Amino acid sequence: MSSSSEPRSAPAESFLDALWAVFGVPLRRQTYGNLVYLTLQFPLGVAYFTTFISLLTLSAGLSVVLVGVPLLIGTLVLVTGVVSVETVLADTLLSADVDSRSVAIDLSDGVLTYAKELVLDVGTYVSLAFLLTKLFVGVVSFTLLTFLFSLTGGLLTAPLLYDRPGSYRVFYNTTLTFAPEVRFVQDLWSITFAPVITLSEWNVDTLAEALIVAAFGLVMLVISLHVLNGVARVLGSLTALVLRHARSLDL
């Protein structure tokens, strides 16, 4: 009897594993670590881009009076320090194996020797480029998060809001155009990102239809989390690859 039941249990376990792999995504701790990491990308990207572009511009402007040189050195030291924090974030939230080249501030041979090593190290500029590109990564992450969770949230709340005039019913009685706009302004130039996404018309007039929409929302939630997890895994792999060649501060 045992020999006949064993072959049946293996397919059953495989089926349960497949179900867990697909539908268990909202119950995994790693999913929420990925979501936190993706959510942080936009504010951090704006902060990095604003701070380092401003400091580098100021350093270049003040270099004629030699004040810009120590400011530039300090900026590059700050870059390596921030990369150390980024390494910890990726390791903690993405569970990515990130190993940047950690270097301590060694002034035993003098400040000029340390400054020369810092400026001539290619890893310093890899770190700077990595932090500046965070703005682009942040815009993409923000757009994905906003679109997927706005759509999923609208579908899931259908049974509660479908019969309220001027609220949820408008969501389905008219074509939905989703156009998140992200604008970054710096002095005389600006960057604007405004993708336009249009969804088909769908009228929901009864509770039964609203429940169908909510069920579709659950499917969309699972799909959205898988998409965001995939994006986070790609970011983790790219971060590990880039920071392997970056210079970071030994904190």
Side-chain angles (χ1 to χ4, degrees):
M1 296 293 292
S2 61
S3 60
S4 61
S5 62
E6 287 178 1
R8 295 179 183 177
S9 63
E13 290 179 0
S14 299
F15 179 70
L16 291 176
D17 290 341
L19 285 179
W20 172 253
V22 175
F23 297 103
V25 62
L27 303 177
R28 296 178 198 140
R29 185 175 62 178
Q30 185 58 56
T31 296
Y32 298 97
N34 293 340
L35 291 177
V36 172
Y37 187 83
L38 292 175
T39 303
L40 290 174
Q41 295 309 292
F42 181 66
L44 289 179
V46 172
Y48 294 160
F49 195 88
T50 305
T51 301
F52 292 119
I53 289 296
S54 299
L55 287 175
L56 291 173
T57 303
L58 186 60
S59 299
L62 295 176
S63 60
V64 293
V65 292
L66 299 181
V67 179
V69 175
L71 181 58
L72 174 62
I73 300 301
T75 300
L76 296 180
V77 172
L78 179 61
V79 166
T80 60
V82 173
V83 165
S84 298
V85 176
E86 281 290 328
T87 302
V88 174
L89 281 177
D91 276 334
T92 304
L93 297 176
L94 298 180
S95 297
D97 187 13
V98 180
D99 185 19
S100 56
R101 186 163 52 87
S102 185
V103 180
I105 298 179
D106 185 7
L107 303 180
S108 59
D109 295 329
V111 176
L112 291 179
T113 301
Y114 173 76
K116 181 179 178 181
E117 178 191 356
L118 178 68
V119 171
L120 297 180
D121 190 345
V122 176
T124 301
Y125 303 99
V126 173
S127 299
L128 178 60
F130 171 79
L131 295 180
L132 293 181
T133 55
K134 280 284 184 178
L135 178 61
F136 172 75
V137 174
V139 169
V140 174
S141 299
F142 173 81
T143 304
L144 274 176
L145 287 166
T146 305
F147 172 66
L148 291 176
F149 283 120
S150 296
L151 177 60
T152 302
L155 296 173
L156 288 175
T157 54
L160 301 176
L161 303 176
Y162 77 98
D163 58 346
R164 296 187 183 182
S167 59
Y168 189 87
R169 188 177 59 184
V170 176
F171 185 90
Y172 289 103
N173 285 347
T174 60
T175 300
L176 174 65
T177 300
F178 182 80
E181 180 174 305
V182 179
R183 178 173 297 174
F184 178 78
V185 180
Q186 177 72 21
D187 296 334
L188 301 178
W189 54 271
S190 65
I191 299 175
T192 302
F193 184 81
V196 178
I197 303 167
T198 303
L199 301 180
S200 301
E201 241 180 63
W202 188 5
N203 296 325
V204 177
D205 302 317
T206 65
L207 178 59
E209 291 176 339
L211 291 174
I212 294 174
V213 171
F216 183 66
L218 289 175
V219 176
M220 280 301 303
L221 175 63
V222 172
I223 294 174
S224 299
L225 292 178
H226 277 294
V227 169
L228 294 172
N229 279 344
V231 172
R233 281 193 294 269
V234 171
L235 281 180
S237 298
L238 291 176
T239 298
L241 179 63
V242 173
L243 292 190
R244 190 180 305 161
H245 307 285
R247 178 187 179 109
S248 66
L249 186 63
D250 186 10
L251 299 177

